[in-house]
Amino acid sequence: MNEHNDDAEREPTAAALKAGHAARAESAAARAAALSRHVERNASADADAVWKAAHAARVAAQALAVLSESEPDPAADARCARNAASSAAQASQVGQRVDGGAELSALACKAALKASLAAGAAAGARSLGVDEGLNAEADAAERAAVAAAEDAGWIRPGEDIPSVETGVRSPEVMSMLHL
């Protein structure tokens, strides 16, 4: 076997990459859903905050649904994971506002933004979802965002994450998701 064939065998397959991107997207969508519930519980009188958090959770759920329905494509799968992480970051900003800027909420929001940026780098034009190092960084950033969300009380370990309806996938939303 020559060196070129050995390298090809070590490269992750599209299906393996999809599994990693899907796990990250699922985690981010769950964070967004948990945040939507947190905002609804703690700011039910603030209709704008409730709507923004619910919308972010819906967009994250749409990104996850598109990823789960498609054939493996590392670039598209990474974009779905990026979109879910971005939506979770938007929900985190609402959560921080609802919590009055509490320290743990601010830290959770920063972690969510870092996860979104890391997912964006993994999906970027340079890597197109196949760079193992960037994918590993995005995975680590997502785990850190989950831990910070738990510390802030946005996610309660052991509690079921609410399901979020994806709603109608309008052409505008699909365009925004870059799909």
Side-chain angles (χ1 to χ4, degrees):
M1 179 180 331
N2 68 34
E3 188 175 311
H4 177 71
N5 288 340
D6 190 37
D7 287 343
E9 289 176 10
R10 284 185 282 188
E11 290 181 15
T13 65
L17 288 165
K18 182 179 186 84
H21 295 310
R24 199 165 56 249
E26 186 175 356
S27 176
R31 278 192 300 117
L35 263 157
S36 178
R37 178 171 50 197
H38 172 79
V39 169
E40 189 174 347
R41 284 179 178 166
N42 294 289
S44 58
D46 186 346
D48 183 58
V50 171
W51 183 88
K52 285 180 179 179
H55 180 69
R58 199 169 26 260
V59 172
Q62 287 178 354
L64 181 60
V66 167
L67 191 153
S68 67
E69 295 165 359
S70 65
E71 294 296 318
D73 177 343
D77 298 340
R79 285 193 305 271
C80 287
R82 175 207 58 205
N83 293 337
S86 177
S87 294
Q90 290 175 329
S92 295
Q93 291 173 327
V94 177
Q96 181 183 11
R97 187 179 92 204
V98 165
D99 290 350
E103 183 180 354
L104 290 176
S105 294
L107 292 172
C109 187
K110 285 180 185 177
L113 292 172
K114 285 181 183 178
S116 177
L117 290 172
R126 234 183 50 220
S127 68
L128 298 174
V130 299
D131 185 298
E132 290 182 50
L134 291 175
N135 287 335
E137 288 176 22
D139 292 343
E142 178 59 31
R143 286 189 300 275
V146 169
E150 288 175 352
D151 290 345
W154 295 345
I155 297 174
R156 298 175 182 168
E159 185 176 68
D160 289 337
I161 300 296
S163 63
V164 174
E165 294 296 322
T166 59
V168 175
R169 292 188 214 159
S170 68
E172 293 81 13
V173 169
M174 296 306 283
S175 175
M176 179 188 75
L177 292 172
H178 300 286
L179 301 170

